[in-house]
Amino acid sequence: EKGTYPHYMLKEIEEQPFVIRKIIQQYQDEDGNVTIDPSIVSEFNQADRLYIVAAGTSYHAGLVGKQYFEKLAQIPTEVHLASEFVYNIPLLSKKPLFIFISQSGETADSRAALVEVKKLGYKSVTITNVPDSTLSREADYTLLLHAGPEIAVASTKAYTAQIAVLAIVADVLRKSKGIEKDIDLAHELAIVANAMEEICDSKDEFETIASDYLSFARNAFFIGRTLDYAVCLEGALKLKEISYIQAEGFAGGELKHGPIALIEDGTPVIALATQENVNLNIRGNVKEVVARDAYSCIISMEGLEMSGDRFILPAVHELLTPLISVVPLQYISYYAALHRGCDVDKPRNLAKSVTVE
Ligand code: F6R
């Protein structure tokens, strides 16, 4: 039930701090450390390469997951769109392990890929919100999201839950391999939950950004680099699916290779700046679009902020920024859709669970 909330999407955005706390609880041992089923750990430890397969928002969570597996656990990882993978299976490593990410556990494209993987005799893990879903039953192992039912067609809390679970898995693998890193993930995720709450308290600011930038926009760009780029793809998907504004996410450095030709007087460009090593680069990219009269705004993070930034996110661990930087983008899409009179929870032409290939 959506209770006092006008829309499921708004309710689900605001449930995210609780979902992260629930995930910490579900994946914690008696000592407060993150943990997963040892048989899953041993399956991962036998793999020489991970293949993440998913669709839509779950694919975007996979792009972030790749960074976690490579940076925390040092396991090479590829991310594939399920609908492409089925018809174009990549050259696989000697010992691949497949990770299917699916909120519903029912996506036909992902299931078709799982069927192919099983035919080839490889092992698989499904990360899903729905126990007993098709993908959960048919994979060898399941990791649950514990996000509670997601009703709005636009996925919000499942995306952050997927990223949190991927971070936990990667960190457990890191420890199992004896890779030293100064990170206490349960603690860092608790900081994320608090930061999410603070961001939700600022939703009026995101409503203002939506009405300033998007009320009459024909198109909109989201730009970022590294992890911020992955979040920009998700921000653009969210905006296009519920507000019908043509929206694209670009890697900041790619603008000059083509997309900058689209910038006109007043084109909205929302930039994320949460990554220290590319902070100056993304700000340079913003200058490039402003020089072409784009209407830009920067969402940065404490410690990296500069004067003129439109919103400053509370500081979290630099690998976990997607969990918080996506929240303003979810709100901005929500309010943009609302202001334009769109059916936020049930956008045209879309279904919550896509059971056709
Ligand atoms: C976007 C959205 C879709 C789904 C995609 C995969 O907001 O909800 O892009 O993410 O259809 O669905 P699942 O995760 O259920 O496999």
Side-chain angles (χ1 to χ4, degrees):
E1 251 319 295
K2 64 186 183 221
T4 56
Y5 286 96
H7 298 98
Y8 282 106
M9 184 179 177
L10 187 62
K11 172 172 180 270
E12 290 162 5
I13 291 172
E14 303 199 345
E15 280 172 350
Q16 291 177 110
F18 308 100
V19 172
I20 298 299
R21 291 188 188 119
K22 171 96 190 215
I23 289 171
I24 302 171
Q25 224 177 40
Q26 293 288 329
Y27 286 96
Q28 213 167 22
D29 65 15
E30 310 81 65
D31 301 326
N33 296 314
V34 291
T35 181
I36 61 170
D37 178 349
S39 58
I40 301 182
V41 175
S42 103
E43 205 63 67
F44 270 94
N45 282 337
Q46 289 167 49
D48 63 356
R49 184 174 282 256
L50 305 177
Y51 294 81
I52 296 176
V53 181
T57 289
S58 298
Y59 170 78
H60 294 156
L63 296 174
V64 176
K66 168 189 161 76
Q67 302 295 322
Y68 295 166
F69 289 120
E70 296 195 338
K71 297 219 160 64
L72 290 170
Q74 296 175 10
I75 312 174
T77 304
E78 296 179 17
V79 195
H80 293 274
L81 290 166
S83 56
E84 285 292 301
F85 181 93
V86 192
Y87 300 103
N88 189 13
I89 296 186
L91 182 61
L92 299 173
S93 66
K94 287 206 172 60
K95 290 177 182 163
L97 177 66
F98 288 85
I99 303 170
F100 290 86
I101 307 177
S102 175
Q103 188 286 130
S104 63
E106 301 297 341
T107 299
D109 289 320
S110 303
R111 167 149 199 263
L114 175 56
V115 168
E116 287 306 312
V117 163
K118 287 178 74 161
K119 269 192 216 152
L120 295 169
Y122 297 123
K123 289 286 176 67
S124 54
V125 181
T126 287
I127 299 181
T128 183
N129 203 24
V130 184
D132 299 321
S133 56
T134 306
L135 282 161
S136 167
R137 279 186 276 109
E138 295 184 357
D140 298 286
Y141 304 93
T142 297
L143 290 163
L144 290 176
L145 296 175
H146 301 289
E150 192 182 61
I151 311 289
V153 164
S155 183
T156 53
K157 63 178 179 172
Y159 171 80
T160 44
Q162 286 161 349
I163 291 175
V165 170
L166 288 162
I168 288 170
V169 176
D171 193 56
V172 169
L173 297 175
R174 170 185 74 78
K175 282 186 279 185
S176 80
K177 295 172 126 196
I179 300 167
E180 289 294 331
K181 218 172 181 108
D182 189 20
I183 179 170
D184 170 355
L185 194 69
H187 175 68
E188 297 296 345
L189 286 172
I191 294 175
V192 162
N194 293 342
M196 282 174 160
E197 232 157 41
E198 254 184 71
I199 296 165
C200 292
D201 287 341
S202 303
K203 64 175 160 222
D204 292 352
E205 176 62 10
F206 309 128
E207 178 161 20
T208 311
I209 295 177
S211 69
D212 276 6
Y213 284 78
L214 300 170
S215 281
F216 302 101
R218 271 192 312 123
N219 57 0
F221 296 155
F222 294 85
I223 63 170
R225 287 172 170 246
T226 71
L227 281 173
D228 288 335
Y229 169 45
V231 177
C232 284
L233 295 175
E234 173 58 8
L237 175 60
K238 221 74 314 167
L239 185 64
K240 72 181 93 169
E241 70 179 327
I242 62 169
S243 75
Y244 317 139
I245 297 170
Q246 194 207 341
E248 305 300 337
F250 293 117
E254 281 302 291
L255 288 168
K256 61 182 176 296
H257 297 294
I260 201 161
L262 293 168
I263 301 290
E264 297 174 320
D265 189 2
T267 304
V269 178
I270 297 175
L272 293 181
T274 74
Q275 299 295 306
E276 191 172 11
N277 68 328
V278 288
N279 195 24
L280 296 179
N281 309 66
I282 189 66
R283 288 166 187 285
N285 300 137
V286 171
K287 287 200 184 99
E288 291 158 19
V289 296
V290 168
R292 274 90 182 171
D293 297 318
Y295 186 39
S296 78
C297 91
I298 299 180
I299 296 174
S300 67
M301 192 171 74
E302 249 169 55
L304 300 175
E305 76 271 26
M306 293 189 186
S307 74
D309 289 353
R310 182 68 189 248
F311 190 81
I312 301 166
L313 300 159
V316 300
H317 190 285
E318 68 167 1
L319 284 176
L320 301 182
T321 58
L323 292 167
I324 62 161
S325 59
V326 76
V327 179
L329 306 189
Q330 294 167 342
Y331 273 119
I332 290 168
S333 298
Y334 172 78
Y335 286 117
L338 203 63
H339 293 160
R340 294 164 78 105
C342 303
D343 187 346
V344 173
D345 283 340
K346 282 199 173 57
R348 66 189 183 202
N349 309 343
L350 295 171
K352 181 65 185 161
S353 145
V354 185
T355 52
V356 291
E357 264 189 71

